[in-house]
Amino acid sequence: MSSQIAGMSDAVVTKLNAATLSQPFTAQRLYQPVWGLEEMNELRVSVVPRAIDLGVQDRNTQRIELDIDIAVQKRVENELSDIDTLLQLVEEIIAELWSDPVINPPQSRVVAIRNEPLFAPDHLRDLRQFTSVITVTFRVLQP
């Protein structure tokens, strides 16, 4: 049996891999999405468990918030059109997760999505690599 956040991360991978988006990719759940520069010529989508926040919803209900990062990475030639295309994919991933907010288990739902900064300027400048990280917060209510 896997942890709750690992299970949620797997559900995100399954959802992303089933989605029809503008660019093909195979999302993977990883703990350390580290790639060599030669591997970055291929589009990489990594799903990484990030944080767990526990709280009280009401007298009878516990609130668990699970943060999961989705990294979109690919080497680019710093062409405006290449970056625009990758930003479009980032927005499509956000829309896919937001449009169907209940993923796994049925009592969980997406309550927030952040994409800040939009991309890592130092990766673009130093590595010619587009890197964007989307953080999705799921809320699970349990008695």
Side-chain angles (χ1 to χ4, degrees):
M1 178 177 180
S2 67
S3 73
Q4 189 171 29
I5 195 164
M8 185 67 75
S9 298
D10 286 339
V12 170
V13 167
T14 299
K15 181 168 183 60
L16 292 178
N17 287 338
T20 302
L21 303 176
S22 63
Q23 295 184 56
F25 61 84
T26 300
Q28 295 178 280
R29 177 169 65 92
L30 302 167
Y31 289 108
Q32 293 183 320
V34 179
W35 308 100
L37 282 179
E38 66 283 350
E39 296 172 292
M40 294 313 299
N41 290 325
E42 181 181 330
L43 177 61
R44 303 283 179 176
V45 177
S46 306
V47 177
V48 181
R50 178 184 175 125
I52 298 174
D53 180 34
L54 301 175
V56 175
Q57 182 72 15
D58 59 39
R59 186 181 336 178
N60 300 314
T61 310
Q62 178 182 23
R63 175 191 47 80
I64 304 168
E65 291 190 351
L66 308 171
D67 285 347
I68 297 173
D69 285 342
I70 302 164
V72 176
Q73 299 175 286
K74 185 176 183 191
R75 192 167 179 145
V76 295
E77 292 301 321
N78 213 0
E79 297 286 334
L80 194 60
S81 62
D82 292 342
I83 297 167
D84 287 349
T85 301
L86 289 165
L87 283 174
Q88 176 185 344
L89 178 62
V90 168
E91 290 178 11
E92 290 171 3
I93 290 170
I94 291 169
E96 180 71 23
L97 293 169
W98 192 253
S99 68
D100 185 14
V102 179
I103 292 187
N104 176 44
Q107 68 269 24
S108 71
R109 68 180 315 104
V110 175
V111 294
I113 299 178
R114 294 175 302 285
N115 182 219
E116 185 180 347
L118 209 50
F119 63 92
D122 54 329
H123 284 201
L124 196 56
R125 180 188 61 241
D126 300 338
L127 304 172
R128 293 185 320 173
Q129 175 181 302
F130 175 87
T131 299
S132 183
V133 178
I134 304 161
T135 301
V136 183
T137 302
F138 294 90
R139 182 171 293 152
V140 180
L141 301 178
Q142 293 182 335

